[in-house]
Amino acid sequence: MLPSFIIHHPSSSERSEIVKELITKTGGTVVEACLMSDGKAGCRASHLKVAKMAQELYPMKHYLVFEDDCVLSEDWKHCIEGMEVADVLYLGFNDKCHHTTFGTHALMISPKARDKILSQTEALAGSVIDKGAYDHILSKLCRQEGLLTAMPPVDEKDKWAYQKKGLRSLITGHLR
């Protein structure tokens, strides 16, 4: 099984059952989410925190990252079998528009992609791009760096993983 990380903040008690299920299915390690007044910045900082941990603990391995509102299907493991050729695998996503994939609730990231993400975000620190949503930054980086991305077809975007409905987004504050 690939190393797995689950981004969660202890104050989000309504997500505790989802997190327990994610731990059971993935064996994942819970990483405390970075809460900031700007939800986009918190999401971005949380994903970068996981990338740094993965780089330190598993420098040569792909890893999985899940947000604490992610629900996995029973057969989710089938989607990652043989997919280590991809630099970024979206196990599910909210929407795809032009060249941007929205949703970072369930990802598999290669060491190559992780290293590019970390080096590029450090280089962009403080810039306008640095203030963008993590899904925008990830999509743009994949295009610019020629990283191989994979995802289910749009009509099956929730087949392996989806965001639980009825929870308040920690980024926008809106109910999903």
Side-chain angles (χ1 to χ4, degrees), residues 33-74:
C34 303
L35 291 186
M36 300 178 169
S37 57
D38 175 4
K40 289 178 190 175
C43 177
R44 187 174 57 250
S46 297
H47 279 272
L48 294 175
K49 181 179 180 179
V50 167
K52 288 175 185 172
M53 287 178 69
Q55 187 178 52
E56 183 179 309
L57 298 171
Y58 308 102
M60 302 305 289
K61 289 188 170 188
H62 283 64
Y63 66 96
L64 297 163
V65 60
F66 303 99
E67 294 175 354
D68 64 0
D69 59 355
C70 176
V71 177
L72 293 172
S73 69
E74 291 304 316

Coordinates of all heavy atoms in Angstrom, one line a residue, residues 33-74:
A33 N -4.6 19.9 9.7 CA -4.8 21.0 8.6 C -4.4 22.3 9.2 O -4.5 22.6 10.4 CB -6.3 21.0 8.3
C34 N -4.0 23.2 8.3 CA -3.6 24.5 8.6 C -4.8 25.4 8.4 O -5.3 25.6 7.3 CB -2.5 25.0 7.6 SG -1.0 24.0 7.6
L35 N -5.3 25.9 9.5 CA -6.5 26.8 9.4 C -6.0 28.2 9.4 O -5.2 28.7 10.2 CB -7.4 26.6 10.6 CG -8.2 25.3 10.7 CD1 -9.1 25.3 11.9 CD2 -8.9 25.0 9.4
M36 N -6.5 29.0 8.4 CA -6.1 30.4 8.2 C -7.4 31.1 7.9 O -8.4 30.6 7.4 CB -5.1 30.5 7.0 CG -3.8 29.7 7.3 SD -2.7 29.9 5.9 CE -1.3 29.2 6.5
S37 N -7.3 32.4 8.0 CA -8.5 33.2 7.7 C -8.9 33.1 6.2 O -10.1 33.2 5.9 CB -8.3 34.7 8.1 OG -7.1 35.2 7.4
D38 N -7.9 33.0 5.4 CA -8.1 32.7 4.0 C -8.1 31.2 3.8 O -7.1 30.6 3.9 CB -7.0 33.4 3.1 CG -7.2 33.1 1.6 OD1 -8.1 32.4 1.2 OD2 -6.2 33.5 0.9
G39 N -9.3 30.6 3.5 CA -9.4 29.2 3.4 C -8.6 28.6 2.3 O -8.0 27.5 2.4
K40 N -8.4 29.3 1.2 CA -7.5 28.9 0.1 C -6.1 28.7 0.6 O -5.4 27.7 0.2 CB -7.6 29.8 -1.1 CG -8.9 29.9 -1.9 CD -8.8 30.9 -3.0 CE -10.2 31.1 -3.6 NZ -10.1 32.2 -4.6
A41 N -5.7 29.7 1.3 CA -4.3 29.6 1.9 C -4.1 28.5 2.8 O -3.1 27.8 2.8 CB -4.0 31.0 2.6
G42 N -5.1 28.2 3.6 CA -5.1 27.0 4.5 C -5.0 25.7 3.8 O -4.2 24.8 4.2
C43 N -5.8 25.6 2.8 CA -5.8 24.4 1.9 C -4.5 24.2 1.3 O -3.9 23.1 1.3 CB -6.9 24.4 0.9 SG -7.0 23.0 -0.3
R44 N -4.0 25.2 0.7 CA -2.7 25.2 0.0 C -1.6 24.8 1.0 O -0.7 23.9 0.8 CB -2.4 26.6 -0.6 CG -1.2 26.6 -1.5 CD -1.1 28.0 -2.2 NE -1.1 29.1 -1.3 CZ -2.1 30.0 -1.2 NH1 -3.1 29.9 -1.9 NH2 -2.0 31.0 -0.3
A45 N -1.6 25.5 2.2 CA -0.5 25.2 3.2 C -0.6 23.8 3.7 O 0.4 23.1 4.0 CB -0.7 26.2 4.4
S46 N -1.8 23.3 3.8 CA -2.0 21.9 4.3 C -1.4 20.9 3.3 O -0.7 19.9 3.7 CB -3.5 21.6 4.6 OG -4.0 22.4 5.6
H47 N -1.7 21.1 2.0 CA -1.2 20.2 1.0 C 0.3 20.3 0.9 O 1.0 19.3 0.7 CB -1.9 20.4 -0.4 CG -3.2 19.8 -0.5 ND1 -3.4 18.5 -1.0 CD2 -4.4 20.3 -0.2 CE1 -4.6 18.2 -1.0 NE2 -5.3 19.2 -0.5
L48 N 0.9 21.5 1.1 CA 2.3 21.6 1.0 C 3.0 21.0 2.3 O 4.1 20.4 2.2 CB 2.7 23.1 0.9 CG 2.3 23.8 -0.4 CD1 2.6 25.3 -0.4 CD2 2.9 23.1 -1.6
K49 N 2.3 21.1 3.4 CA 2.8 20.4 4.6 C 2.9 18.9 4.4 O 3.9 18.3 4.7 CB 1.8 20.7 5.8 CG 2.2 20.2 7.1 CD 1.1 20.6 8.1 CE 1.4 20.1 9.5 NZ 0.3 20.6 10.4
V50 N 1.9 18.3 3.8 CA 1.9 16.9 3.4 C 3.0 16.6 2.5 O 3.7 15.6 2.6 CB 0.5 16.4 2.9 CG1 0.6 15.0 2.3 CG2 -0.5 16.5 4.0
A51 N 3.2 17.4 1.4 CA 4.2 17.2 0.4 C 5.6 17.2 1.1 O 6.4 16.3 0.8 CB 4.2 18.2 -0.7
K52 N 5.8 18.1 2.0 CA 7.1 18.1 2.7 C 7.3 16.9 3.6 O 8.4 16.3 3.7 CB 7.2 19.4 3.6 CG 7.4 20.6 2.7 CD 7.4 21.9 3.6 CE 7.4 23.1 2.7 NZ 7.2 24.4 3.4
M53 N 6.2 16.4 4.3 CA 6.3 15.2 5.1 C 6.6 14.0 4.2 O 7.5 13.2 4.5 CB 5.0 15.0 5.8 CG 4.8 15.9 7.0 SD 3.2 15.6 7.8 CE 3.5 14.0 8.5
A54 N 5.9 13.9 3.0 CA 6.2 12.8 2.1 C 7.6 12.8 1.6 O 8.2 11.8 1.5 CB 5.2 12.8 1.0
Q55 N 8.1 14.0 1.3 CA 9.5 14.1 0.8 C 10.5 13.6 1.9 O 11.5 13.0 1.5 CB 9.8 15.6 0.4 CG 11.1 15.8 -0.2 CD 11.3 17.2 -0.6 OE1 11.1 18.1 0.2 NE2 11.6 17.5 -1.9
E56 N 10.2 14.0 3.1 CA 11.1 13.6 4.2 C 11.0 12.1 4.5 O 12.0 11.4 4.7 CB 10.8 14.4 5.4 CG 11.7 14.1 6.6 CD 11.3 15.0 7.8 OE1 11.2 16.2 7.6 OE2 11.2 14.4 8.9
L57 N 9.8 11.6 4.6 CA 9.6 10.2 5.0 C 9.7 9.2 3.9 O 10.1 8.0 4.2 CB 8.2 10.1 5.7 CG 8.0 10.9 7.0 CD1 6.5 10.9 7.4 CD2 8.9 10.4 8.1
Y58 N 9.2 9.5 2.7 CA 9.1 8.6 1.6 C 9.7 9.3 0.3 O 8.9 9.5 -0.6 CB 7.7 8.2 1.4 CG 7.0 7.6 2.6 CD1 6.1 8.4 3.3 CD2 7.3 6.4 3.1 CE1 5.5 8.0 4.5 CE2 6.6 5.9 4.2 CZ 5.8 6.7 4.9 OH 5.2 6.2 6.0
P59 N 11.0 9.6 0.3 CA 11.5 10.4 -0.8 C 11.4 9.8 -2.2 O 11.3 10.5 -3.2 CB 13.0 10.6 -0.4 CG 13.3 9.5 0.6 CD 12.0 9.2 1.3
M60 N 11.3 8.5 -2.3 CA 11.2 7.8 -3.6 C 9.9 7.2 -3.9 O 9.7 6.4 -4.8 CB 12.3 6.7 -3.7 CG 13.7 7.3 -3.4 SD 14.2 8.6 -4.5 CE 14.3 7.8 -6.1
K61 N 8.8 7.5 -3.1 CA 7.6 6.8 -3.3 C 6.4 7.8 -3.7 O 6.4 8.9 -3.2 CB 7.1 6.1 -2.0 CG 7.9 4.9 -1.6 CD 7.3 4.2 -0.4 CE 7.9 2.9 -0.2 NZ 7.2 2.1 0.8
H62 N 5.5 7.3 -4.5 CA 4.3 8.0 -4.7 C 3.5 8.0 -3.3 O 3.8 7.1 -2.5 CB 3.4 7.2 -5.7 CG 3.8 7.4 -7.1 ND1 5.0 6.9 -7.6 CD2 3.1 7.9 -8.2 CE1 5.0 7.2 -8.9 NE2 3.9 7.8 -9.3
Y63 N 2.7 8.9 -3.2 CA 1.9 8.9 -1.9 C 0.5 9.4 -2.2 O 0.2 10.0 -3.3 CB 2.5 9.8 -0.9 CG 2.5 11.3 -1.2 CD1 1.5 12.2 -0.7 CD2 3.5 11.8 -2.0 CE1 1.5 13.5 -1.0 CE2 3.6 13.2 -2.3 CZ 2.6 14.0 -1.8 OH 2.6 15.3 -2.1
L64 N -0.5 9.0 -1.3 CA -1.9 9.4 -1.4 C -2.2 10.5 -0.4 O -1.6 10.5 0.7 CB -2.8 8.2 -1.2 CG -2.6 7.1 -2.1 CD1 -3.2 5.8 -1.5 CD2 -3.3 7.4 -3.5
V65 N -3.0 11.5 -0.8 CA -3.4 12.5 0.1 C -4.9 12.7 0.0 O -5.5 12.7 -1.1 CB -2.7 13.8 -0.1 CG1 -2.9 14.4 -1.5 CG2 -3.1 14.9 0.9
F66 N -5.6 12.7 1.1 CA -7.0 12.8 1.2 C -7.4 14.0 2.1 O -6.8 14.1 3.2 CB -7.7 11.5 1.8 CG -7.3 10.3 1.0 CD1 -6.3 9.4 1.4 CD2 -8.0 10.0 -0.2 CE1 -6.0 8.3 0.7 CE2 -7.6 8.8 -0.9 CZ -6.6 8.0 -0.5
E67 N -8.4 14.7 1.7 CA -9.0 15.7 2.6 C -10.0 15.1 3.5 O -10.6 14.0 3.1 CB -9.5 16.9 1.8 CG -8.4 17.6 1.0 CD -8.9 18.7 0.1 OE1 -10.1 18.9 -0.1 OE2 -8.1 19.4 -0.5
D68 N -10.3 15.6 4.6 CA -11.2 15.0 5.6 C -12.7 15.0 5.2 O -13.5 14.5 6.0 CB -11.0 15.6 7.0 CG -11.4 17.1 7.1 OD1 -11.8 17.7 6.1 OD2 -11.2 17.6 8.2
D69 N -13.0 15.5 4.1 CA -14.4 15.3 3.6 C -14.5 14.4 2.4 O -15.5 14.3 1.7 CB -15.0 16.7 3.2 CG -14.2 17.4 2.1 OD1 -13.1 16.9 1.7 OD2 -14.6 18.5 1.6
C70 N -13.5 13.6 2.2 CA -13.4 12.6 1.1 C -14.0 11.3 1.5 O -13.7 10.7 2.6 CB -12.0 12.4 0.7 SG -11.8 11.2 -0.6
V71 N -14.9 10.8 0.7 CA -15.5 9.4 0.9 C -15.0 8.6 -0.3 O -15.1 8.9 -1.4 CB -17.0 9.5 0.8 CG1 -17.6 8.1 1.0 CG2 -17.5 10.4 2.0
L72 N -14.4 7.4 0.1 CA -13.9 6.5 -0.9 C -14.9 5.4 -1.2 O -15.5 4.9 -0.3 CB -12.6 5.8 -0.4 CG -11.4 6.8 -0.3 CD1 -10.2 6.1 0.4 CD2 -11.0 7.3 -1.6
S73 N -15.0 4.9 -2.4 CA -15.8 3.8 -2.8 C -15.2 2.5 -2.2 O -14.0 2.5 -1.9 CB -16.0 3.7 -4.3 OG -14.8 3.3 -4.9
E74 N -15.9 1.5 -2.2 CA -15.4 0.2 -1.8 C -14.2 -0.3 -2.7 O -13.3 -1.0 -2.2 CB -16.5 -0.9 -1.6 CG -17.4 -0.6 -0.5 CD -16.8 -0.4 0.9 OE1 -15.9 -1.2 1.2 OE2 -17.1 0.6 1.6

